[in-house]
Amino acid sequence: MMDETDRMVQMYDTIIEGLRQLSMPAEKQLQKLRGTFVTDELADDFCTIAMPCACELLQSGWISKEQYKALSQIDARLRKMSGYKDKSIWDEKALYEAVEWAECRKWALDILEEMQAEPAQGNKRIQGR
């Protein structure tokens, strides 16, 4: 049986993994999530898995309000993208070209830095990618 601390650590790790995945350059995202609808998988993992963990961690004092606000900014952007009439934002090509995906990548890297977590292996801060 998992104690409360282990559960919190697991949720924290879930957020970090979601950020790492979201912050990867497009080519690494496509490699890692091959066989899935990559853009949908990225958004769904973050919005429906990482964000509920973030909410609980905020309530438990494991992350700050500022960290939660930064995570919420990504969540809001991904949800806004899902409402676009032009669904090309969900094409794999958009991972390389869309400003929205570049912003999510940058924000994810910023939060990883704020949370003092390393980005995914081989991932470096590259302007917009």
Side-chain angles (χ1 to χ4, degrees):
M1 187 167 159
M2 188 180 301
D3 72 7
E4 189 64 13
T5 301
D6 289 339
R7 198 170 77 75
M8 293 292 144
V9 168
Q10 186 177 40
M11 285 191 288
Y12 187 87
D13 290 346
T14 297
I15 293 169
I16 297 301
E17 181 55 31
L19 289 167
R20 285 179 177 148
Q21 188 171 275
L22 197 56
S23 71
M24 291 176 181
E27 61 274 3
K28 291 196 180 286
Q29 291 170 326
L30 292 168
Q31 288 171 0
K32 180 173 175 140
L33 298 170
R34 189 175 331 153
T36 67
F37 188 50
V38 176
T39 53
D40 186 57
E41 189 73 19
L42 288 167
D44 191 52
D45 283 357
F46 191 83
C47 295
T48 64
I49 298 172
M51 282 308 295
C53 291
C55 184
E56 193 162 339
L57 290 174
L58 173 66
Q59 292 170 355
S60 300
W62 277 63
I63 64 172
S64 69
K65 288 179 184 177
E66 292 77 21
Q67 289 167 334
Y68 184 79
K69 184 178 178 183
L71 292 164
S72 295
Q73 180 181 21
I74 295 173
D75 181 63
R77 171 56 59 120
L78 293 169
R79 291 180 187 280
K80 181 178 179 182
M81 288 162 51
S82 70
Y84 286 6
K85 288 182 182 178
D86 179 4
K87 299 300 179 190
S88 67
I89 193 73
W90 299 104
D91 295 341
E92 289 181 1
K93 183 178 177 185
L95 286 174
Y96 291 96
E97 298 175 357
V99 171
E100 293 89 344
W101 286 110
E103 287 175 340
C104 287
R105 245 180 233 108
K106 181 196 175 304
W107 295 338
L109 279 170
D110 290 346
I111 299 166
L112 285 169
E113 188 176 299
E114 161 69 23
M115 295 176 90
Q116 299 178 349
E118 292 293 319
Q121 188 172 4
N123 189 10
K124 3 179 204 192
R125 186 176 285 279
I126 299 172
Q127 185 73 24
R129 302 263 184 222

